[in-house]
Amino acid sequence: MLIKKRRASDVLPSEITPESIYRDRRRFLRTSALAAAGSLLAPGWSLAKPMEALEPLGELPASEFSTDTPANTYEEITTYNNFYEFGSGKEDPMRLAPGRLEHRPWTVTVSGEAENTGEFGFDDFMRGLTVEERIYRLRCVEAWSMVIPWAGVPLAEVIRRARPTSRAKYVKFYTGYDPQVFPAQAARGMGFLASIDWPYTEALRMDEAMNPLTLLATGLYGKEMPSQNGAPIRLVVPWKYGFKSIKSVVRIHFQETEPEATWNQLAPHEYGFYANVNPNVDHPRWSQARERRIGEFFKQDTLMFNGYQEEVAHLYAGMDLSKHY
């Protein structure tokens, strides 16, 4: 392995308290004095474990940016997702990541056009940052969606610590590279997985990275981040298609020119650099006008910018979003 911010329990939320009661409690906390209190991530994260043994994070301050839409269950979130380093099937991450992807030791490298660069151990990287809960909608480019209660820190706080120079116009992120941990990185004859130039990368324009919605997530549902969801730290950009929210981040790089990113590089006619959720711009092979929420039978209309238009539309003023997709 490349080394370089809901509840205190060791069992699943569904095994303790009904999801509806849990959500009502979180809504109460968002309006209480507890919501304004700071809370640091509990120390003592351990190596990758089965999801039922993940460390609890304790009470986290809620966020004004959280949606009131009911969240998907812990089981849905952790057993149905894309993490192509472990295979192309939705169940592959859950099946292969626990026990392979270690949460410790882990370091994050900060590089490029910034004053405070270097390799930082995970605990040093997170020290002093207040982790909060952010309940966000997630929209996959494949036209399915979820609502996920993440725990994390605003990316803007991390960027301010790095002190980027005036030349830093973009931020590029890298997933870890180790074929012994990530089997698809050693893929031979495994379809499109063999064509990926690993490690997986993604990138944001600086103003997108500094937007208050952009999150570096370290947990979900009140527990540390499960291996299959991108432990120990991943990006979450809720107004963009899910592939922009890169998992298991080991490097954050500041640069002046627009970076190449994995999917944009593989198929630029299908996956644009911006990847903003837009019901008016279809994927070449399917419509983006509607989506299927995991756990629900009927489809629903896709929202512009995944429902975050008020917070992010100004970032793209004057741009042709059918061209800059």
Side-chain angles (χ1 to χ4, degrees):
M1 181 67 218
L2 178 62
I3 308 299
K4 274 261 183 261
K5 168 183 192 243
R6 288 188 199 231
R7 262 177 322 233
S9 170
D10 288 333
V11 294
L12 298 178
S14 60
E15 293 173 338
I16 310 172
T17 305
E19 296 285 338
S20 59
I21 297 176
Y22 174 84
R23 295 176 190 126
D24 288 342
R25 180 168 177 265
R26 294 308 301 161
R27 292 189 185 100
F28 170 76
L29 289 177
R30 277 200 293 277
T31 61
S32 71
L34 291 176
S39 175
L40 295 178
L41 183 64
W45 284 23
S46 59
L47 300 181
K49 296 173 291 188
M51 67 180 73
E52 65 270 15
L54 293 170
E55 293 292 336
L57 303 181
E59 290 295 343
L60 302 174
S63 171
E64 62 180 310
F65 297 112
S66 290
T67 177
D68 288 327
T69 305
N72 283 84
T73 67
Y74 189 90
E75 293 88 344
E76 289 169 337
I77 296 165
T78 56
T79 61
Y80 187 95
N81 70 304
N82 293 319
F83 196 168
Y84 287 117
E85 283 81 353
F86 292 102
S88 59
K90 295 294 185 290
E91 75 289 347
D92 288 341
M94 177 271 296
R95 182 171 57 87
L96 297 175
R100 298 178 67 120
L101 178 58
E102 296 182 346
H103 303 182
R104 291 292 190 280
W106 195 274
T107 68
V108 179
T109 299
V110 178
S111 60
E113 299 289 352
E115 296 177 12
N116 188 17
T117 60
E119 295 182 354
F120 302 89
F122 184 80
D123 294 301
D124 289 333
F125 183 81
M126 295 295 297
R127 187 166 286 114
L129 296 171
T130 300
V131 177
E132 63 184 57
E133 182 180 71
R134 296 278 185 97
I135 306 173
Y136 280 165
R137 291 180 288 273
L138 174 118
R139 172 58 154 84
C140 181
V141 73
E142 298 168 343
W144 57 266
S145 64
M146 287 188 182
V147 176
I148 300 178
W150 302 106
V153 299
L155 177 60
E157 293 299 317
V158 173
I159 291 176
R160 278 190 278 268
R161 281 185 170 188
R163 298 197 301 272
T165 71
S166 60
R167 293 187 296 274
K169 309 299 184 187
Y170 296 87
V171 189
K172 185 172 183 178
F173 304 85
Y174 295 75
T175 295
Y177 178 79
D178 187 338
Q180 293 185 341
V181 173
F182 302 114
Q185 293 178 348
R188 297 293 184 271
M190 290 181 64
F192 79 90
L193 293 178
S195 67
I196 295 178
D197 183 17
W198 305 104
Y200 191 97
T201 63
E202 258 307 335
L204 298 173
R205 209 170 59 191
M206 183 62 76
D207 57 349
E208 296 176 316
M210 292 295 292
N211 186 275
L213 288 175
T214 309
L215 193 72
L216 279 178
T218 56
L220 62 83
Y221 253 126
K223 294 179 179 288
E224 61 173 316
M225 187 71 70
S227 299
Q228 61 266 39
N229 291 91
I233 187 167
R234 61 168 291 168
L235 184 68
V236 178
V237 193
W239 71 92
K240 294 179 179 288
Y241 292 120
F243 68 87
K244 295 290 289 189
S245 295
I246 186 172
K247 303 176 179 70
S248 298
V249 173
V250 298
R251 183 181 176 193
I252 300 173
H253 181 77
F254 298 93
Q255 63 186 75
E256 185 171 11
T257 57
E258 182 177 294
E260 290 187 335
T262 292
W263 279 106
N264 184 225
Q265 185 178 21
L266 279 174
H269 64 292
E270 295 188 354
Y271 306 102
F273 174 82
Y274 287 96
N276 292 320
V277 176
N278 188 342
N280 304 310
V281 177
D282 291 336
H283 187 280
R285 289 177 281 140
W286 56 78
S287 170
Q288 296 288 22
R290 294 176 65 77
E291 64 190 59
R292 179 176 63 89
R293 178 73 47 80
I294 297 302
E296 299 182 5
F297 181 77
F298 294 104
K299 289 186 176 182
Q300 55 188 279
D301 291 340
T302 297
L303 300 175
M304 187 67 192
F305 296 114
N306 202 26
Y308 298 98
Q309 186 166 2
E310 182 177 346
E311 294 85 356
V312 303
H314 67 278
L315 299 175
Y316 312 102
M319 294 177 61
D320 183 349
L321 298 183
S322 64
K323 177 180 178 181
H324 300 284
Y325 56 89

